[in-house]
Amino acid sequence: MKVIDLRSDTVTLPTDEMRRAMAEAEVGDDVYGEDPTVNALEELAAEMMQKEAAVFTVSGTMSNLISVLAQTRRGDEIIVGSEAHVFWYEVGGASALGGVIVHTIPNTTDGRLEIEDLEKAIRSKNIHNPPSTLLCLENTHNRCGGAVLDVKYISAAAGLAHRHSLRVHIDGARIFNAAVALKVPASELVKDADSVSFCLSKGLSAPVGSLVCGDRDFIDRARKYRKMVGGGMRQAGVLAAAGLVALRTMIDRLAEDHRNARLLAEGLRLIPGLVVADNVPTNIVLFSLPPAVSGDIFVKEISSRGVKLSPRGGQQFRAVTHRMVTSDDIDEALSRVDACLRSLR
Ligand code: TLP
C-alpha cells in the first residue's frame, strides 16, 4: 500500500538532480564567507527578491527569528496576525530570545490583517507604551489555508506601517506558491517589505534551508544573529547546492500542487459530513470532520489506511499537496478517507 503523506510539503525528498549537485558542490568555510555555493545561493536569492543581500539559514523558524532580532530591540512590540506561524509554531523565540512583545490582531480568513485593526494596534508615542517597531505578514498563510496576499494589500499594509516608522517583515515560507498563484514575480510581492524569509525545504523540495533577504545593513545584522543562535554553518555548500536546484527548477511546478489541492478539496466536499474551506488558492486544504466522528480516532484510523494528515485540534485537519503526491494519489486518498469515515459512523 502506498502511503500518501499529506501532512506537509516539508516531507518532499530531494530530487536526483539535487543529490548530484550536493555530491559535486564546491564548498568552503561559510563562517569565513568562503563557501562559493552558499555565496551563489545567497546572490541568487537576493536577485530573485530584488533585495541587496541574503543570508542562508537552516530553517524558516531561524530565518524569522533572526529577522525579528535584527529589526527590534528588547521591549519593542511586534504586530503579527492571530494565526501567524511566528506566533503559533516558533516556540515563542521572538519573545524568549528577542525580548519583544508579540501583539496579535485578528487574521481574516484570507490571511490579511484589517488595515483599521493595524492602525489601532500601532502604539502612539507615549511614556507608557512599548514602541511598535515591526509588522510581520505571512504569504502564503499557513493557518489560513494557504491564503495569498496580493501586491495591492501588501502595499497598503506596509505603507501604513512605514508611515508610523515600523519596519515590515514577510514570512514568505511559501512565497513562491503565492507568486505562482498570482502569476507575478515573487519580487513584486516583497517590494514594499524590509525583509523577507522564504523556505527551500517545503514545496521546492530541497532537504534543508531557508533564506532571509533585505538591505545590506540588515543582512549584516541578521548574519550576526544567525551566528549568535548557533546557525553559523561551515561547508554548507552541500545544502546550498540543493537550494540552487530548487530555485532554478522547482518553482513553476508548484501550479501542479495547487491543481491537486483543488482536486482534493472538490473530492472532500462530496464526502458526506465533511466541511471544507471554500477557498483553496494554493496547496493547503483545511477541513473539519462531522461532530459525531472523533478527530483522535480518525487520525489513527486514516493513517493505518495509509493517508497521513495533520490534525489541527478537535475536528479540524490540514492536508498539503506537494511534488510526491500525484493526482492519482489524490483520488486514492479520497476513496480511503471516504471508506474510513463510513467505517467510523
Ligand atoms: N510550517 C510547518 C510547521 O511548522 C507547521 C508546516 O508543516 O507547515 N513560516 C511558515 C508560514 C511555515 O509554514 C513554516 C513551517 C515556517 C515558517 C517554519 O519553517 P521551518 O519548519 O523550516 O522552521
Side-chain angles (χ1 to χ4, degrees):
M1 177 174 65
K2 177 177 176 185
V3 174
I4 303 164
D5 193 343
L6 298 169
R7 284 172 304 171
S8 183
D9 43 11
T10 57
V11 303
T12 44
L13 301 179
T15 61
D16 292 344
E17 189 182 348
M18 287 179 189
R19 288 177 187 272
R20 275 195 300 277
M22 292 171 81
E24 289 160 13
E26 215 186 309
V27 295
D29 190 327
D30 180 48
V31 174
Y32 291 107
E34 289 173 5
D35 188 305
T37 311
V38 172
N39 293 343
L41 177 66
E42 291 179 346
E43 273 161 34
L44 178 61
E47 187 192 316
M48 289 175 84
M49 295 296 153
Q50 293 284 293
K51 299 289 182 202
E52 282 174 15
V55 59
F56 182 45
T57 75
V58 295
S59 66
T61 301
M62 184 183 280
S63 285
N64 285 335
L65 175 65
I66 65 174
S67 297
V68 171
L69 292 174
Q71 298 183 92
T72 57
R73 291 193 299 190
R74 299 183 73 76
D76 284 1
E77 190 164 85
I78 67 172
I79 299 176
V80 313
S82 54
E83 300 302 319
H85 194 278
V86 172
F87 176 61
W88 275 82
Y89 302 125
E90 299 186 7
V91 209
S95 299
L97 306 176
V100 298
I101 300 163
V102 178
H103 185 159
T104 57
I105 56 177
N107 267 122
T108 59
T109 49
D110 58 1
R112 288 175 302 116
L113 306 172
E114 296 284 13
I115 297 294
E116 305 85 74
D117 291 344
L118 181 53
E119 190 143 28
K120 279 191 216 137
I122 297 173
R123 305 280 197 152
S124 59
K125 287 193 175 51
N126 177 301
I127 192 166
H128 299 92
N129 295 349
S132 311
T133 51
L134 184 69
L135 166 67
C136 297
L137 301 173
E138 186 174 317
N139 200 13
T140 64
H141 202 294
N142 184 342
R143 285 182 57 88
C144 295
V148 172
L149 302 179
D150 62 19
V151 177
K152 194 168 163 222
Y153 171 76
I154 297 167
S155 292
L160 174 65
H162 286 149
R163 281 196 295 284
H164 290 271
S165 307
L166 279 75
R167 289 175 66 98
V168 177
H169 172 66
I170 295 183
D171 173 357
R174 297 185 180 84
I175 194 80
F176 293 108
N177 293 82
V180 165
L182 292 170
K183 300 191 172 66
V184 297
S187 57
E188 274 293 294
L189 296 172
V190 303
K191 67 179 173 22
D192 294 309
D194 301 288
S195 62
V196 56
S197 57
F198 70 84
C199 291
L200 302 167
S201 58
K202 300 196 164 60
L204 302 186
S205 297
V208 176
S210 170
L211 286 125
V212 180
C213 307
D215 64 55
R216 206 168 298 282
D217 277 356
F218 157 72
I219 291 297
D220 288 347
R221 290 197 304 279
R223 194 180 291 283
K224 185 116 180 165
Y225 280 113
R226 182 189 68 167
K227 189 78 182 85
M228 185 188 279
V229 296
M233 296 177 282
R234 301 298 177 174
Q235 286 74 37
V238 288
L239 300 175
L244 282 167
V245 176
L247 289 181
R248 288 179 182 141
T249 67
M250 302 302 283
I251 293 173
D252 293 345
R253 64 151 308 287
L254 294 173
E256 191 183 326
D257 300 343
H258 300 175
R259 278 194 297 278
N260 283 337
R262 283 195 295 274
L263 276 181
L264 180 64
E266 280 158 23
L268 289 172
R269 282 190 196 108
L270 299 176
I271 298 177
L274 291 186
V275 179
V276 184
D278 289 337
N279 197 16
V280 178
T282 56
N283 68 330
I284 298 180
V285 182
L286 299 180
F287 66 95
S288 308
L289 301 178
V293 179
S294 145
D296 289 345
I297 295 176
F298 172 73
V299 75
K300 279 195 203 111
E301 185 56 31
I302 192 65
S303 108
S304 74
R305 290 170 189 253
V307 179
K308 294 191 180 178
L309 297 166
S310 281
R312 285 243 337 229
Q315 303 301 96
Q316 276 227 323
F317 285 84
R318 181 186 81 158
V320 185
T321 55
H322 51 78
R323 185 178 63 81
M324 321 234 9
V325 173
T326 63
S327 60
D328 285 349
D329 295 333
I330 296 295
D331 289 341
E332 178 60 28
L334 285 167
S335 66
R336 291 186 201 171
V337 170
D338 192 21
C340 176
L341 283 172
R342 277 173 207 279
S343 77
L344 293 177
R345 278 214 184 88

